Amino acid sequence: TGAQRREARQIAAAAAQAYNTGNFEEALAQYERAYEVFPAPQLQFNLGQCHRELGNHERTVFFLERYLEELPTAPNRETVLELVAEARAAIAETERAAEEARQQAEEARQQEAARVAAAHQIEMARQQEELRRQEAERFAILRRAEAESGPEVYEEWWFWTLIGAVVAAAV
């Protein structure tokens, strides 16, 4: 209706003022309100422009393509197609950068895992070396104790002599 169109124009005028002063979020909110009052295709172009300024590339493509769908013979069609191409390129760049960041994070995770594994191997080798050292020390202590205690009783000459005398006496 005419009243809705006038109201939408007033809201759009406030949105244009906000856009021209660089207040793109306010402009976006006003253009959305204007579109709710009267859904004119030109408002979709304005919504696309606000989203472009805010870096919302997917939303930019959405609104600009909708604008061209509703106004296929729009006088600014070539400009709109260029803006859509720019937004799609920005989306592709964002996706490429995100993939690169994911790859870098994975490489860092793998490097950290390798570092942890190497540190674990070094610690295991150190522990094994410590066990070998302790075992050698125990063995050396036992050898010294054996050497200090002298021969066992059954290794002495007099023990066998005594056994022989007992056996001879018993026979």
Side-chain angles (χ1 to χ4, degrees):
T1 68
Q4 288 174 319
R5 182 179 287 222
R6 280 190 301 280
E7 182 183 354
R9 279 190 182 146
Q10 288 174 342
I11 297 169
Q17 186 176 8
Y19 184 91
N20 290 334
T21 59
N23 191 349
F24 303 116
E25 289 183 11
E26 175 64 26
L28 178 62
Q30 293 289 347
Y31 281 128
E32 286 173 344
R33 200 167 130 237
Y35 190 79
E36 289 171 3
V37 171
F38 187 81
Q42 294 82 357
L43 292 173
Q44 290 181 332
F45 173 78
N46 294 339
L47 289 166
Q49 287 290 76
C50 288
H51 281 292
R52 183 176 68 83
E53 293 294 341
L54 292 169
N56 303 329
H57 307 298
E58 292 87 3
R59 301 294 289 163
T60 299
V61 170
F62 173 80
F63 282 109
L64 292 180
E65 286 181 344
R66 293 280 315 269
Y67 168 71
L68 291 178
E69 285 172 14
E70 291 190 28
L71 283 178
T73 59
N76 60 348
R77 181 175 181 78
E78 290 304 314
T79 301
V80 173
L81 290 173
E82 288 174 14
L83 293 173
V84 168
E86 285 175 15
R88 288 191 184 283
I91 291 168
E93 176 59 25
T94 300
E95 289 172 352
R96 187 200 61 73
E99 179 59 29
E100 187 176 297
R102 277 191 295 276
Q103 288 176 353
Q104 288 175 348
E106 178 60 21
E107 287 172 9
R109 188 196 63 74
Q110 289 175 353
Q111 288 173 351
E112 178 62 13
R115 187 194 65 73
V116 167
H120 180 72
Q121 287 179 339
I122 290 169
E123 179 60 20
M124 292 299 292
R126 187 197 65 74
Q127 288 176 358
Q128 287 175 346
E129 181 59 33
E130 179 63 18
L131 287 173
R132 279 193 288 274
R133 186 193 63 73
Q134 288 175 358
E135 187 62 30
E137 192 176 298
R138 269 195 297 274
F139 184 71
I141 290 171
L142 287 174
R143 288 294 225 189
R144 274 195 307 273
E146 224 175 69
E148 290 173 2
S149 68
E152 294 292 326
V153 171
Y154 62 84
E155 294 175 338
E156 295 291 334
W157 66 268
W158 52 264
F159 174 78
W160 293 108
T161 304
L162 182 62
I163 294 296
V166 170
V167 170
V171 173

